[in-house]
Amino acid sequence: MTKEKVALIGSGNWGSAIAKIVGSNVLKSFDFDQEVRMWVFEEIVNGRKLTELINTEHENVKYLPGIKLPESVVAVPELLECVKDATILIFVVPHQFLKGICKSLLGNIRPDAKAISLIKGLDASASGLRLFSHIISEVLDIEVSVLSGANIANEVAEEHFCETTIGSRQKDDGETYFKLFNTPYFRVTVVDDVAGVEICGALKNIVAIGAGIIDGLRLGENTKAAIMRIGLMEMKRFACSFWSGVREETFYESCGVADLITTCAGGRNRKVAEAHVATGKPFDQLEREMLNGQKLQGTLAAQEVHEFLKAKKMTEEFPLFTRIYQIVYEGAPPQAIVEGL
């Protein structure tokens, strides 16, 4: 039997946490090749190349310090070298870079390869909406599944128990991904609602900005709970309005309500939004100052979703999404977040 060979495209905070799981699981199963190549955007850290540090110290000292990675994980600075001969491509990069990466991979991957996307976001504009799994599938002509859940990277890396959701249209692929990702502390549930899983992961980051604004205003837990509930309803309304086949029960999986709770309690979007209220600094400046090279996802998602809803003349049907956009991009006062809800 041919073994699955795994390539991890991305090596940030979340990518490195996933590398720990995948790198350990391939060593426990005869289904997988025991080397996992991880594409690393080369940087100099403490006078040394980041790939060299990862391969010698077995730790991503910049994006996941203090966590040891399995020796099966090999950092590779060249994208095409990383994916050479791989049958499973794990995409875990900021969604701003996905299209360029896919173009680079076109014609350079195995024809029988498949992919799973851990990217949280939407490609939304006035002209339409696309899921990132669809972009990968369209450009590379491969089957693409998704993984999303209440998964703060550092907590996963420290092996605190949590759940996640995999959306896969192909039963065999779902079974393979279960073996690749499931652990006693990282419990996987597989569903066949790919769009529902992915949409939840994208939209909850917008709501988390709202939760951070509430925290910054010191409006308390009642108001924050209201924002989260309204946000969940807008997430469901958005998904069911523009995608057929999205299942209501998906919103009660880890990718839905659990991820929303986690992100509104402790995610980077919440943290930066709170700092915006406290300091008055713009979100892009706070991103540079606070996130150590990581990217905010909620601000861009808010902009893209707003452009789409404006073109559809539907902004009034999503008052929370609209208010968050206005605060982030149009200079509306943070106090406006509760107006019109």
Side-chain angles (χ1 to χ4, degrees):
M1 183 181 68
T2 302
K3 293 186 177 185
E4 300 277 10
K5 185 170 181 58
V6 180
L8 189 60
I9 302 171
S11 57
N13 186 235
W14 184 216
S16 297
I18 284 296
K20 178 184 175 183
I21 290 174
V22 170
S24 296
N25 279 354
V26 299
L27 300 176
K28 301 172 184 176
S29 173
F30 292 111
D31 295 331
F32 302 102
D33 186 279
Q34 294 195 345
E35 180 184 80
V36 175
R37 293 181 182 175
M38 179 172 70
W39 178 53
V40 175
F41 183 79
E42 192 70 278
E43 302 177 64
I44 302 300
V45 180
N46 300 326
R48 297 173 64 186
K49 293 180 178 179
L50 183 55
T51 53
E52 177 188 338
L53 284 166
I54 292 172
N55 290 334
T56 56
E57 306 298 329
H58 304 292
E59 178 184 345
N60 189 332
V61 296
K62 179 168 184 180
Y63 294 109
L64 195 65
I67 300 296
K68 288 298 180 181
L69 301 178
E71 294 187 12
S72 56
V73 176
V74 178
V76 179
E78 299 295 336
L79 176 62
L80 298 188
E81 179 63 24
C82 175
V83 303
K84 184 179 180 181
D85 299 325
T87 60
I88 294 177
L89 308 176
I90 302 173
F91 285 85
V92 56
V93 292
H95 70 266
Q96 299 94 316
F97 307 124
L98 179 63
K99 292 179 182 178
I101 289 170
C102 286
K103 289 179 181 178
S104 298
L105 294 178
L106 184 60
N108 292 297
I109 61 172
R110 287 176 53 142
D112 61 342
K114 54 184 170 288
I116 182 165
S117 172
L118 280 61
I119 302 169
K120 293 183 177 181
L122 284 172
D123 185 42
S125 65
S127 60
L129 287 167
R130 288 196 300 170
L131 301 174
F132 289 116
S133 62
H134 290 173
I135 292 174
I136 298 169
S137 180
E138 289 171 4
V139 174
L140 300 180
D141 193 25
I142 59 177
E143 182 65 31
V144 183
S145 301
V146 298
L147 181 151
S148 185
N151 307 139
I152 292 177
N154 288 66
E155 295 180 15
V156 173
E158 292 168 2
E159 302 188 8
H160 300 318
F161 175 78
C162 67
E163 300 175 305
T164 200
T165 313
I166 289 177
S168 181
R169 282 174 288 267
Q170 302 297 324
K171 183 178 179 181
D172 289 348
D173 290 352
E175 292 173 353
T176 297
Y177 293 133
F178 181 88
K179 294 177 185 176
L180 186 59
F181 291 99
N182 188 68
T183 76
Y185 66 89
F186 191 69
R187 187 167 69 187
V188 172
T189 299
V190 181
V191 301
D192 61 5
D193 182 7
V194 175
V197 173
E198 191 166 1
I199 293 165
C200 284
L203 298 182
K204 57 94 183 183
N205 285 320
I206 303 176
V207 184
I209 291 175
I213 291 169
I214 297 302
D215 286 343
L217 293 170
R218 302 293 185 263
L219 293 181
E221 300 307 319
N222 291 343
T223 307
K224 188 172 180 179
I227 291 296
M228 292 168 65
R229 189 201 68 81
I230 294 166
L232 180 63
M233 297 307 295
E234 291 196 12
M235 287 166 59
K236 289 177 62 178
R237 189 180 310 134
F238 190 91
C240 294
S241 296
F242 304 117
W243 276 271
S244 61
V246 172
R247 299 180 180 179
E248 183 174 353
E249 55 265 33
T250 300
F251 291 86
Y252 303 104
E253 295 287 350
S254 181
C255 62
V257 64
D259 196 10
L260 178 65
I261 293 168
T262 294
T263 308
C264 289
R268 71 185 74 159
N269 292 279
R270 188 219 63 81
K271 179 172 70 173
V272 171
E274 182 180 24
H276 168 74
V277 178
T279 67
K281 294 179 180 179
F283 280 83
D284 56 351
Q285 180 180 345
L286 291 168
E287 177 186 72
R288 292 191 299 272
E289 292 177 358
M290 298 176 64
L291 298 186
N292 191 33
Q294 297 178 350
K295 296 295 183 182
L296 272 181
Q297 297 159 317
T299 51
L300 184 57
Q303 180 183 40
E304 292 171 335
V305 166
H306 181 78
E307 288 177 1
F308 176 79
L309 291 173
K310 185 177 180 181
K312 294 284 187 182
K313 296 181 170 57
M314 293 179 66
T315 56
E316 292 185 1
E317 296 180 35
F318 296 86
L320 180 61
F321 286 176
T322 299
R323 206 66 74 232
I324 289 169
Y325 169 81
Q326 291 169 340
I327 293 169
V328 174
Y329 289 102
E330 295 183 347
Q335 294 81 357
I337 191 167
V338 296
E339 295 176 3
L341 299 182

